[in-house]
Amino acid sequence: MASIEDVVAKKVAPAPRPAAAEDPEKNFRFYDNRQKYLMFVNTCSEKWVVSERVTKEIQALTPQPPAVRCFDAGMGDGTVLARVLRSMHRQFARFPIFIAGKEISLEDVRLTLDKMPDRFLEHPELVFAFTNISYADAPWLQPSNPDAAKNMVWKEVALKGSTTAEFEQQILELQPFLAQNWKTKVSEKTGSMIPETPTTVILYREDCKFMLDRVIPRKDAPKADYDLVLASQPFRLRAPTKFKAGRVLAPLAKALGVGGRLLGIHSAGNDPGIEIVQKIWPGEDPFIVSRRELLDATKDAMGADASRFRFDPLANRDAIFRYEMHTLPDEIDSESASIGTSTLLAAWNAATYVAQIDDERLAEAMSNSNYLDATRNVLRKNGELWFNDESYIIERTR
């Protein structure tokens, strides 16, 4: 295996994709598979490690009044968001904090909201907004399309009380509203999930409304100007580079305030996870676009605006980091040890989830035991299972 510094230097052409993948109705939507997602996040440490990486950026922020402003471009189950909020409280204990997030999955919104009551207790000066609209519009919390804006649902919730139990009860009362307004449909153009109803929800403590008046977003006065934008795995690896740059990263970068920083993170490969995948699908490599290529494409997509930004791919020692799959002590470090089926299945799930293998090919591969043998061999060879992510910075210059 090549060294970690070569993670983006050598790329192998990906294996041919099945023709069915071109059909939007059959296009693999790996983010929407709850079983794969939940098994991955509960058996791997990526959320923890990403949170630690974000904390380094928080320490470099120089926010301006009236608030520290942060945008999470894909909240997921809220694990990273909750940890980031703890770090922000430690760094900016008495500052008003405005944090907004995009998430289209109703289940992920529910999981995120479960983690919020204690955040409002520890940091009363918090305003939390979340929306289901596109990356191009989400930082401003409302659609730029006039027809979509006309149908926009905007809900403000001032949480009463001073205990987590009181906050939790009021957040739970949002469930019928969310069930009604967080419905999705399949886009005929892309095959991805899009919201039926553009919706934004804002939460804050009622007893802090006066001091947060300049922080609480207004429907008729959209504002971005973020100090920090987190773009962790915001797109599919196999999406066209032009799409990633023009439809995701460029709009997110433009949402930065002066001195603001966008932290981008995506899977990099060159790890035991892709070893497992390539034993079943030789030559498979979804990690074909490096962070440097992605930044160059984003610079091109931004045109003349790019001159106001600094695009930093970072040195490999700063850009590349790894996370592991959780296992029991000594479970897979011995050639003679028997590796449990649950561990093998978790490792296989993690490897194919990170590589974003579609369900059709997975079903075919799992029709015999070869995938378990391949997983077992890689685990025994390496003694553990880890994955590499790479990160980069886009900063709006002063």
Side-chain angles (χ1 to χ4, degrees):
M1 182 184 297
S3 66
I4 194 170
E5 286 77 9
D6 296 328
V7 68
V8 294
K10 297 180 181 179
K11 296 296 176 183
V12 181
R17 303 301 313 281
E22 301 302 323
D23 182 353
E25 290 295 335
K26 298 179 180 179
N27 189 25
F28 176 51
R29 300 188 297 274
F30 81 104
Y31 289 121
D32 306 314
N33 189 311
R34 299 304 302 169
Q35 291 77 19
K36 290 186 179 68
Y37 173 75
L38 291 175
M39 181 180 286
F40 172 76
V41 300
N42 285 297
T43 57
C44 294
S45 64
E46 187 189 32
K47 302 288 186 181
W48 303 359
V49 178
V50 167
S51 302
E52 292 173 358
R53 177 65 185 84
V54 178
T55 297
K56 295 180 181 179
E57 296 304 316
I58 291 174
Q59 295 168 356
L61 298 182
T62 54
Q64 301 297 314
V68 185
R69 296 177 61 83
C70 177
F71 181 77
D72 186 349
M75 299 189 304
D77 68 348
T79 301
V80 171
L81 180 65
R83 289 173 175 266
V84 167
L85 281 171
R86 294 187 191 109
S87 296
M88 292 184 77
H89 173 74
R90 181 175 60 185
Q91 185 76 13
F92 306 108
R94 303 308 303 172
F95 285 41
I97 293 176
F98 173 74
I99 191 157
K102 167 186 164 57
E103 185 53 62
I104 196 169
S105 164
L106 174 59
E107 184 60 25
D108 277 335
V109 169
R110 287 170 171 162
L111 292 172
T112 297
L113 289 176
D114 279 346
K115 300 174 175 69
M116 295 308 296
D118 72 308
R119 295 300 87 221
F120 283 103
L121 180 66
E122 182 178 58
H123 201 97
E125 307 87 354
L126 172 66
V127 177
F128 173 47
F130 56 97
T131 187
N132 59 5
I133 59 180
S134 70
Y135 282 112
D137 298 326
W140 289 265
L141 301 177
Q142 55 181 281
S144 55
N145 180 285
D147 292 334
K150 188 190 309 180
N151 297 323
M152 178 79 181
V153 174
W154 185 275
K155 186 175 182 64
E156 237 181 76
V157 180
L159 300 170
K160 299 177 175 61
S162 58
T163 65
T164 54
E166 291 170 300
F167 301 150
E168 180 181 49
Q169 181 58 43
Q170 293 164 78
I171 289 173
L172 284 173
E173 290 170 359
L174 285 171
Q175 295 303 322
F177 170 85
L178 295 173
Q180 176 64 33
N181 292 282
W182 236 262
K183 296 177 181 178
T184 59
K185 58 185 178 182
V186 178
S187 167
E188 295 181 359
K189 292 182 179 180
T190 66
S192 60
M193 304 301 293
I194 58 176
E196 289 187 1
T197 307
T199 305
T200 292
V201 180
I202 301 102
L203 304 176
Y204 55 87
R205 285 180 54 156
E206 185 182 53
D207 57 1
C208 295
K209 184 175 183 179
F210 183 85
M211 73 163 61
L212 295 173
D213 182 68
R214 294 175 57 203
V215 182
I216 299 168
R218 305 285 193 269
K219 186 177 181 181
D220 58 350
K223 178 183 179 182
D225 293 340
Y226 291 99
D227 299 296
L228 176 66
V229 170
L230 172 60
S232 178
Q233 313 284 9
F235 37 63
R236 293 168 178 80
L237 293 172
R238 292 181 176 88
T241 303
K242 187 175 180 180
F243 172 87
K244 297 175 185 176
R247 298 286 296 277
V248 181
L249 292 180
L252 292 177
K254 291 178 181 179
L256 292 169
V258 175
R261 298 164 69 86
L262 180 152
L263 171 63
I265 297 172
H266 60 238
S267 301
N270 196 53
D271 49 42
I274 195 62
E275 274 193 80
I276 293 173
V277 169
Q278 290 177 346
K279 282 185 176 294
I280 302 300
W281 298 283
E284 179 74 20
D285 187 4
F287 316 107
I288 57 176
V289 180
S290 73
R291 64 188 186 275
R292 294 179 174 87
E293 295 171 302
L294 197 53
L295 286 177
D296 287 343
T298 304
K299 190 183 301 184
D300 291 341
M302 296 178 71
D305 287 338
S307 63
R308 296 185 292 150
F309 294 82
R310 182 176 66 89
F311 300 84
D312 188 355
L314 303 175
N316 281 339
R317 66 178 180 275
D318 298 319
I320 301 172
F321 57 93
R322 62 182 260 182
Y323 60 93
E324 295 83 27
M325 187 185 82
H326 306 304
T327 57
L328 296 174
D330 303 326
E331 184 175 5
I332 56 176
D333 68 348
S334 171
E335 187 70 29
S336 61
S338 175
I339 304 175
T341 303
S342 60
T343 298
L344 293 176
L345 289 174
W348 168 257
N349 177 80
T352 55
Y353 180 86
V354 170
Q356 300 175 15
I357 303 297
D358 59 87
D359 287 343
E360 185 175 341
R361 290 196 290 167
L362 277 176
E364 182 180 353
M366 295 175 71
S367 62
N368 58 62
S369 63
N370 289 344
Y371 75 99
L372 291 177
D373 295 336
T375 304
R376 184 182 296 107
N377 291 338
V378 172
L379 293 184
R380 282 181 172 166
K381 172 189 171 185
N382 293 280
E384 60 180 329
L385 178 62
W386 75 84
F387 300 89
N388 290 320
D389 278 352
E390 62 177 347
S391 59
Y392 51 90
I393 298 292
I394 301 176
E395 180 181 13
R396 184 170 179 182
T397 56
R398 297 182 183 278

